[in-house]
Amino acid sequence: NSVFYTDKCLGKFTTDLKNSPIWKNTLLIFVADHGSRHPGNSPLYVTEKFHIPMIWTGGALNVSDSIISLFASQTDIATTLTAQLNINSDNFKFGKDIFSENAKSFAFYDYNNGFGFITDSTVQIFDNPSKTYIQNTEKSKAKSVEYGKAYEQILMNDFINRKNQPK
């Protein structure tokens, strides 16, 4: 019921905007905030739980019907949007411009007691308590194993530093 209700409300909202004079200058970005308990009773860490859609729509778009197939995450929204507006995105150091030809295809996610790191050729899911990989499809494990760990460490250091900054 909640999905039906949300879909109905977003549909009405979008239709009302399309029929208004502001539509031509409007950009809507729809993205889920988290993974889900589904599919089925799968474990908390599986990648399918973190595969969420991101839809860009609106009259302000110059291009339509495009599909970006690289791995991305919510942290990429601000960087991508500021790049489209030619605004400096240095404050968004964890994001990438998903429309850039140079964008690296990867996504990082964390779950309770671990993290996942995904690229076009790799799925790595790390369990913090056991300090082991639950899944690691990387062929050259020595080099890229450190990417997910390094990303998590830099992310946590940034969070701790922001938390400790005076307000």
Side-chain angles (χ1 to χ4, degrees), residues 73-153:
S73 67
Q74 290 128 317
T75 59
D76 299 323
I77 295 171
T79 305
T80 302
L81 186 56
T82 55
Q84 302 315 298
L85 298 171
N86 294 317
I87 297 172
N88 184 310
S89 62
D90 290 347
N91 288 331
F92 308 109
K93 63 182 171 186
F94 294 106
K96 62 183 171 285
D97 175 5
I98 64 172
F99 299 136
S100 169
E101 293 176 6
N102 300 321
K104 302 276 190 242
S105 182
F106 79 92
F108 174 90
Y109 66 88
D110 55 6
Y111 63 92
N112 189 19
N113 285 325
F115 67 84
F117 189 77
I118 304 166
T119 70
D120 291 333
S121 61
T122 304
V123 175
Q124 297 177 326
I125 303 171
F126 190 79
D127 178 65
N128 286 332
S130 68
K131 297 186 181 1
T132 60
Y133 282 89
I134 295 168
Q135 182 177 355
N136 187 359
T137 63
E138 175 58 40
K139 293 175 181 67
S140 154
K141 292 182 173 65
K143 182 178 179 187
S144 68
V145 161
E146 301 307 313
Y147 289 144
K149 288 179 183 178
Y151 193 91
E152 182 180 37
Q153 187 62 53

Side-chain angles (χ1 to χ4, degrees), residues 42-77:
S42 55
L44 288 173
Y45 52 78
V46 296
T47 59
E48 293 82 7
K49 291 185 184 290
F50 297 91
H51 186 188
I52 58 176
M54 179 168 50
I55 300 167
W56 291 47
T57 189
L61 294 176
N62 291 332
V63 177
S64 62
D65 299 330
S66 295
I67 297 174
I68 306 298
S69 57
L70 60 84
F71 288 105
S73 67
Q74 290 128 317
T75 59
D76 299 323
I77 295 171

Side-chain angles (χ1 to χ4, degrees), residues 158-167:
D158 183 73
F159 174 74
I160 290 166
N161 289 336
R162 289 175 191 263
K163 190 173 116 176
N164 293 330
Q165 288 179 352
K167 304 247 188 261

Side-chain angles (χ1 to χ4, degrees), residues 1-12:
N1 286 338
S2 65
V3 172
F4 176 81
Y5 177 74
T6 301
D7 185 59
K8 182 178 174 182
C9 291
L10 288 174
K12 180 177 179 352

Side-chain angles (χ1 to χ4, degrees), residues 12-24 26 28:
K12 180 177 179 352
F13 177 73
T14 304
T15 299
D16 289 350
L17 275 174
K18 282 181 181 179
N19 294 324
S20 78
I22 66 169
W23 178 251
K24 66 180 179 187
T26 299
L28 298 173

